């Protein structure tokens, strides 16, 4: 060998190279085997990071899914999807266009699995399971994105080779899977869980499209955003959150596929392809947006947010009042971890999660001071953002336990460096147990339509009449409709199906109502209010209903409360 040649730095490898092929292979085997096993583990661990949280959400969200009674919004779902397809489209032309995609999907599903409480909620559970998996995948990818080569899987300074991206994904996914309001919406027959699923998928696709830059990723991202808005138009606010995320992220070091840097054109820090995909998503939904704008009377009950609304927002995001502080501290830890430990890399977990958590509520609350449009359910798709931010903070706390000098503190064989993280996990487990159980109770819903139906079934008599105050309270009889169907609704003009509405229409002539009020000895008055008080009649027909009762000399025989549902039986 010439003196200028450079040999292998590994003497064993140099010796093996000089031997026969069989001997060289035998010597290399001890080195190749650990690498092969490590590769297998990396492949399996990649799936486990997603599968473990998804399986957890399936168990947590599915436990006692059919236990709580349907409430009025779920009754709307049950009634709408049971109609023929043509009648569903007729309904959407008058009301609830924002839930049209959900009703059509559920109409198809219900023909296969039925309309029991469990069957109605299973699609929401499935959507939350998928959302949980993508939450873990998005958190893992955000934690790995932009790291120098060799650090994407093994974080520098993690002491014992801690796989920080995988741990971030796993912890974030598990936090979302055990969030009380994940369970709440997984066990609700409305579109919010599906909206959340597509919002998380869109966020994951943003993390794929931004560094890659190719149209295939941006097109799938735009499709996911469009589906998010299709199932709830307020879900389009995910675009505002992603826009802020891109503004917070530097394009420095962005590497596309095959080493390309800065794929596509940019407007400052915003990829022009993101603008194109976002515009396409909004354009596709423009007919729905126009139709929804003509149906704004459905949210006329909303009012300007006050301090109570803000408090409820924090409570719903965390899961309960005692959980607000722990999640706030973990979220703060996630911000610190992104700022200090990772140098605020492009599209780091905090840059993804913070705008997602803050921007949609802020926009809706601010807009509500002009025209009320905010309600806490409308920003439910922000729940995964809190899980990612808090998961990043908890991962940072775990990392501290592997870094000297904390990793060297011991009490016997117990490493004290793990104590802070273990205490936080234990505290969360204790604080989550109560709210999780509460979400499975009917009391967590405004109404107990199952109990209301049972009360009517137990006390109704042939010839009983029913008045709904106001007319929209017809929905309270559609969750479990059989007993209510036996009551004479003498104020009804057209049924819900015939009128193409959610609750039907009532007659507007007091004289006609009076003429129908014959041979009546008992009247059920059905209403429901969050005040748990009998409502004050405010329409001419509602006042006429109560006047007929007084004129006939009827008095209250009995009154029952089923959540917010109030059943009052009048008779002589």
């Amino acid at each position: 060998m010439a003196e200028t040649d450079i040999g292998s730095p590994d003497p064993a490898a140099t010796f093996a190279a000089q031997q026969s092929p069989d001997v060289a292979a035998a010597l290399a085997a001890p080195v190749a085997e650990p690498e092969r096993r490590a590769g297998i583990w990396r492949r399996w661990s990649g799936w486990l990071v997603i599968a473990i949280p998804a399986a957890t959400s399936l168990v947590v969200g599915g436990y006692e899914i059919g236990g709580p009674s349907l409430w009025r919004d779920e009754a709307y779902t049950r009634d709408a999807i049971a109609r023929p397809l043509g009648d569903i489209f007729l309904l959407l032309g008058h009301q609830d266009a924002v839930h049209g995609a959900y009703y059509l999907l559920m109409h198809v599903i219900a023909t296969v699995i039925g309309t029991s409480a469990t069957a109605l909620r299973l699609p929401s559970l499935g959507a939350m399971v998928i959302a949980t998996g993508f939450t873990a995948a998005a958190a893992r990818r955000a934690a790995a994105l932009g790291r120098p080569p060799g650090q994407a899987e093994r974080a520098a300074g993690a002491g014992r080779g801690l796989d920080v991206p995988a741990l971030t994904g796993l912890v974030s996914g598990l936090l979302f899977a055990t969030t009380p309001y994940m369970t709440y919406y997984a066990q609700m027959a409305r579109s919010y869980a599906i909206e959340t699923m597509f919002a998380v998928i869109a966020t994951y696709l943003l993390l794929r499209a931004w560094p890659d830059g190719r149209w295939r990723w941006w097109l799938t991202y735009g499709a996911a955003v469009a589906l998010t808005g299709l199932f709830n138009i307020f879900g389009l606010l995910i675009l505002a959150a992603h826009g802020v995320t891109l503004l917070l992220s530097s394009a420095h070091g962005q590497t596309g596929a095959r080493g390309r840097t800065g794929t596509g054109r940019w407007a400052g820090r915003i990829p022009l392809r993101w603008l194109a995909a976002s515009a396409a998503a909004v354009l596709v939904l423009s007919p729905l947006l126009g139709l929804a704008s003509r149906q704004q009377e459905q949210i006329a009950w909303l009012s300007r947010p006050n301090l109570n609304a803000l408090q409820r927002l924090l409570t719903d995001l965390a899961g309960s009042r005692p959980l607000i502080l722990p999640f706030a501290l973990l979220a703060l830890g996630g911000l610190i971890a992104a700022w200090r430990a990772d140098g605020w890399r492009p599209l780091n977990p905090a840059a993804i999660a913070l705008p997602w958590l803050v921007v949609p509520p802020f926009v809706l609350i601010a807009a509500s001071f002009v025209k009320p449009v905010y309600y806490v359910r409308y920003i439910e798709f922000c729940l995964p953002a809190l899980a990612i931010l808090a998961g990043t903070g908890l991962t940072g706390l775990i990392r501290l336990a592997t870094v000297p000098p904390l990793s060297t503190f011991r009490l016997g064989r117990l490493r004290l460096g793990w104590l802070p993280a273990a205490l936080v996990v234990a505290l969360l487990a204790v604080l989550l147990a109560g709210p999780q159980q509460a979400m499975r109770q009917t009391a967590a819903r405004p109404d107990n339509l199952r109990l209301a139906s049972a009360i009517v079934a137990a006390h109704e008599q042939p010839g009983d009449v029913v008045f709904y105050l106001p007319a929209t309270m017809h929905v309270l009889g559609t969750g479990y409709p059989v007993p209510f169907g036996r009551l004479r609704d003498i104020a009804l003009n057209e049924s819900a199906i015939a009128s193409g509405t959610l609750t039907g229409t009532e007659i507007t002539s007091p004289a006609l109502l009076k003429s129908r009020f014959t041979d009546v000895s008992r009247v059920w008055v059905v209403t429901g209010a969050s005040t748990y008080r009998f409502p004050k009649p405010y329409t001419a027909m509602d006042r006429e209903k109560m006047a007929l009762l007084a004129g006939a000399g009827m008095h209250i025989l009995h009154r029952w409360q089923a959540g917010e549902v109030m059943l009052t039986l009048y008779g002589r």
Side-chain angles (χ1 to χ4, degrees):
M1 181 180 293
E3 294 181 356
T4 54
D5 292 340
I6 300 175
S8 170
D10 185 356
T14 303
F15 175 75
Q18 298 172 354
Q19 310 304 314
S20 66
D22 292 339
V23 175
L27 289 170
V31 177
E33 182 63 19
E35 292 180 355
R36 186 183 69 83
R37 291 179 179 177
I40 294 174
W41 167 246
R42 282 195 295 270
R43 288 193 294 271
W44 275 102
S45 65
W47 283 106
L48 289 175
V49 167
I50 297 171
I52 292 174
T56 302
S57 66
L58 178 63
V59 174
V60 173
Y63 178 60
E64 296 183 344
I65 190 172
S69 165
L70 297 176
W71 65 290
R72 70 186 71 182
D73 277 20
E74 292 180 300
Y76 281 133
T77 296
R78 186 186 186 280
D79 181 68
I81 67 175
R83 305 181 188 193
L85 195 60
D87 289 327
I88 295 178
F89 281 105
L90 179 63
L91 165 66
L92 301 180
H94 294 97
Q95 291 180 309
D96 247 11
V98 293
H99 295 298
Y102 177 70
Y103 288 159
L104 294 172
L105 175 65
M106 289 296 293
H107 175 78
V108 175
I109 294 175
T111 59
V112 178
I113 64 176
T115 58
S116 66
T118 299
L120 289 173
R121 292 164 179 163
L122 279 178
S124 292
L125 173 63
M128 279 304 193
V129 171
I130 296 172
T132 303
F134 272 95
T135 297
R140 179 183 62 185
R141 188 165 187 83
L145 194 62
R147 288 184 181 274
Q151 291 188 23
E153 294 176 352
R154 301 291 180 185
R160 296 183 178 271
L162 202 62
D163 191 341
V164 174
L167 183 61
T168 303
L170 180 64
V171 173
S172 299
L174 287 173
L175 282 178
F176 181 66
T178 54
T179 298
Y181 276 88
M182 187 288 297
T183 300
Y184 185 73
Y185 290 105
Q187 297 188 354
M188 183 185 293
R190 295 298 275 176
S191 62
Y192 304 111
I194 298 178
E195 173 201 13
T196 301
M197 175 185 72
F198 283 120
V200 180
I201 291 174
T203 302
Y204 174 78
L205 290 172
L206 177 68
L207 292 166
R208 297 301 302 261
W210 187 89
D212 186 283
R214 285 178 290 182
W215 272 114
R216 68 178 186 180
W217 288 113
W218 286 120
L219 290 175
T220 52
Y221 167 80
V225 169
L227 287 168
T228 305
L230 182 64
F231 280 89
N232 193 318
I233 58 173
F234 292 119
L236 285 176
L237 290 172
I238 194 68
L239 286 176
H242 288 170
V244 173
T245 289
L246 293 173
L247 289 174
L248 291 175
S249 300
S250 170
H252 176 69
Q254 184 219 17
T255 302
R258 299 177 184 175
R260 294 191 303 270
T261 300
T263 306
R265 295 184 177 182
W266 293 63
R269 294 183 176 182
I270 303 295
L272 291 181
R273 291 181 180 182
W274 176 80
L275 291 173
S278 302
V282 175
L283 184 62
V284 166
L285 293 177
S286 57
L288 174 61
L289 296 173
L291 185 57
S293 68
R294 296 191 293 272
Q295 297 180 1
Q296 293 186 44
E297 68 276 1
Q298 287 188 249
I299 58 173
W301 56 275
L302 294 174
S303 58
R304 289 184 177 181
N306 52 25
L307 290 178
N308 289 334
L310 296 179
Q311 179 178 312
R312 182 176 178 184
L313 171 62
L314 296 177
T315 301
D316 283 17
L317 287 172
S320 68
R321 287 188 183 182
L323 281 166
I324 293 176
L325 182 59
F327 270 101
L329 293 176
L330 287 175
L332 179 61
L335 290 174
I336 295 173
W339 184 264
R340 294 183 62 86
D342 295 328
W344 199 263
R345 294 171 291 100
L347 297 191
N348 64 78
I352 282 288
L354 185 61
W356 184 3
L357 179 64
V358 173
V359 172
F362 175 81
V363 171
L364 278 187
I365 290 172
S368 293
F369 285 95
V370 178
K371 177 177 177 56
V373 292
Y374 167 79
Y375 195 68
V376 67
R377 285 197 297 272
Y378 300 162
I379 52 88
E380 178 271 340
F381 66 94
C382 299
L383 280 173
L386 179 61
I388 292 175
L389 202 56
T392 304
L394 184 53
T395 300
L397 191 62
I398 295 173
R399 289 177 67 182
L400 289 177
T402 65
V403 178
L406 290 178
S407 60
T408 61
F409 293 159
R410 290 176 179 270
L411 181 60
R413 294 186 177 182
L414 179 64
R415 296 177 187 168
L416 296 181
W418 293 99
L419 188 59
L423 289 176
V424 169
V425 171
L427 176 64
L428 287 176
V430 171
L431 293 178
L432 284 168
Q436 273 289 349
Q437 184 58 30
M439 293 303 164
R440 292 167 174 75
Q441 307 301 317
T442 296
R445 282 79 177 159
D447 313 308
N448 190 339
L449 300 188
R450 183 184 291 150
L451 176 59
S453 179
I455 290 170
V456 173
H459 299 280
E460 67 178 350
Q461 294 180 5
D464 282 0
V465 170
V466 62
F467 285 153
Y468 293 96
L469 251 65
T472 54
M473 291 300 106
H474 277 79
V475 66
L476 301 179
T478 59
Y480 303 89
V482 175
F484 288 92
R486 293 192 289 262
L487 302 176
R488 290 191 297 148
D489 188 357
I490 62 174
L492 184 66
N493 181 37
E494 283 188 306
S495 68
I497 294 179
S499 63
T501 62
L502 289 167
T503 56
T505 61
E506 290 191 337
I507 58 177
T508 58
S509 170
L512 179 58
L513 179 64
K514 187 174 183 180
S515 69
R516 293 180 177 182
F517 196 77
T518 57
D519 300 323
V520 174
S521 59
R522 301 199 329 162
V523 178
W524 291 82
V525 177
V526 180
T527 190
S530 59
T531 60
Y532 296 90
R533 296 178 181 177
F534 195 87
K536 181 179 180 180
Y538 62 90
T539 67
M541 286 304 299
D542 287 347
R543 289 191 291 270
E544 180 65 18
K545 292 172 186 176
M546 299 309 298
L548 287 175
L549 298 179
M554 292 187 177
H555 60 276
I556 297 176
L557 299 178
H558 208 289
R559 176 168 283 169
W560 299 268
Q561 198 79 38
E564 292 183 0
V565 181
M566 181 180 289
L567 303 171
T568 307
L569 179 60
Y570 286 82
R572 294 186 177 88

